[in-house]
Amino acid sequence: MKKTIQRKRMMSYFINATVDLIDEVGINGITLRKVADKAGYNSATLYNYFENLDHLILYASMKHIKDYAHALDAYLKDAKNAMDRFLKVWECFCDYAYDKPEIYNAIFFPNLEKHFEDYVADYYKLFPEDIISKDKNISTMLLKTDINERAQTTVYACVNEGYIRLEDANKLNDMTLLIFEGMLKRVLNNKISYDDSRNNTMDYIKAIVERLLIKDYTFYY
């Protein structure tokens, strides 16, 4: 327990320094030396807790999206069924992702060589306060580090409630993810405004859902 507390404290120094640097210079302007200097330790100490700069940036980015994780409950407050939840999760995700595109790109489309599921599981083990949600399904979704697996959590709930066919689940998942990834790149390249990216994404997802629905559903937007 003592070692875990010490590890969390030391990692927090470097993570918080990186969070501040993201605000100050952006992700592309961050270096290990800048992080170490801001945290008040040397680079050698940093390597005792992080594999490399990408590992550290991933954890700092997770801190940055805490607002999204906490906002989900509010977005889902009026959801009446699985399809409402599917759409509202995407609405919340778009609202926050397009506002901080570099952060979300670093988390969901990282340049890490290894699969990083274990990294994020370790992060939430150290910082469980960042994943608080009253909805068990949403908490489970947040623990999934792969964006494809996150989306599947809500898609299969729609299958279970009879809104779409099981054989269409992967199609819905893939198409919505492709829309998001393409739109995020446009935002990163300053080719579309925040409002247009958010509204267009939700309109495109609605169009896909309309084609796949197998029972009556009234869209809330």
Side-chain angles (χ1 to χ4, degrees):
M1 179 65 72
K2 184 177 181 180
K3 287 185 177 180
T4 300
I5 293 174
Q6 181 180 4
R7 178 170 176 255
K8 179 176 180 177
R9 182 172 64 250
M10 291 300 298
M11 291 180 73
S12 293
Y13 292 148
F14 292 113
I15 291 171
N16 291 336
T18 307
V19 169
D20 291 341
L21 284 170
I22 289 175
D23 290 334
E24 295 170 11
V25 301
I27 286 179
N28 294 331
I30 295 175
T31 65
L32 287 173
R33 175 170 291 183
K34 288 180 181 178
V35 174
D37 288 345
K38 196 170 190 65
Y41 291 87
N42 58 43
S43 298
T45 303
L46 190 152
Y47 278 110
N48 290 330
Y49 301 94
F50 300 94
E51 294 179 7
N52 51 39
L53 183 60
D54 288 330
H55 183 190
L56 176 57
I57 288 176
L58 171 64
Y59 277 28
S61 297
M62 294 298 295
K63 277 291 183 187
H64 256 82
I65 70 164
K66 183 170 65 174
D67 289 345
Y68 153 67
H70 282 246
L72 278 169
D73 283 334
Y75 276 73
L76 294 169
K77 182 180 179 181
D78 298 325
K80 297 179 176 63
N81 49 59
M83 186 56 71
D84 278 357
R85 288 191 292 275
F86 169 76
L87 293 170
K88 285 179 180 290
V89 165
W90 267 111
E91 182 181 7
C92 181
F93 191 64
C94 290
D95 286 353
Y96 283 83
Y98 296 146
D99 186 48
K100 295 181 178 179
E102 287 187 349
I103 300 296
Y104 284 76
N105 189 60
I107 293 174
F108 295 107
F109 307 105
N111 293 318
L112 294 172
E113 293 183 2
K114 294 178 5 180
H115 202 282
F116 61 100
E117 282 192 357
D118 291 340
Y119 298 154
V120 178
D122 180 56
Y123 173 86
Y124 280 130
K125 184 177 180 180
L126 286 168
F127 305 101
E129 63 273 16
D130 289 357
I131 198 174
I132 295 172
S133 176
K134 296 177 181 178
D135 190 313
K136 184 178 180 180
N137 288 331
I138 296 304
S139 293
T140 301
M141 182 193 73
L142 289 170
L143 285 171
K144 295 184 181 299
T145 54
D146 185 281
I147 191 171
N148 181 64
E149 292 182 3
R150 283 187 173 216
Q152 283 180 343
T153 302
T154 53
V155 169
Y156 281 101
C158 293
V159 172
N160 292 336
E161 291 190 15
Y163 286 101
I164 62 171
R165 296 181 179 88
L166 177 60
E167 55 267 34
D168 288 332
N170 287 336
K171 183 185 298 183
L172 175 59
N173 199 40
D174 287 344
M175 292 175 74
T176 50
L177 291 175
L178 285 169
I179 290 169
F180 170 73
E181 185 174 2
M183 198 68 70
L184 185 67
K185 288 182 179 178
R186 290 186 183 181
V187 176
L188 284 166
N189 293 325
N190 296 313
K191 292 183 177 180
I192 191 170
S193 69
Y194 169 81
D195 287 337
D196 285 345
S197 61
R198 186 262 189 203
N199 294 334
N200 288 353
T201 299
M202 294 307 298
D203 284 345
Y204 298 158
I205 291 175
K206 180 178 181 180
I208 295 169
V209 170
E210 286 177 328
R211 291 180 64 89
L212 299 178
L213 279 172
I214 58 174
K215 80 173 187 179
D216 290 340
Y217 172 73
T218 301
F219 289 87
Y220 64 87
Y221 68 96

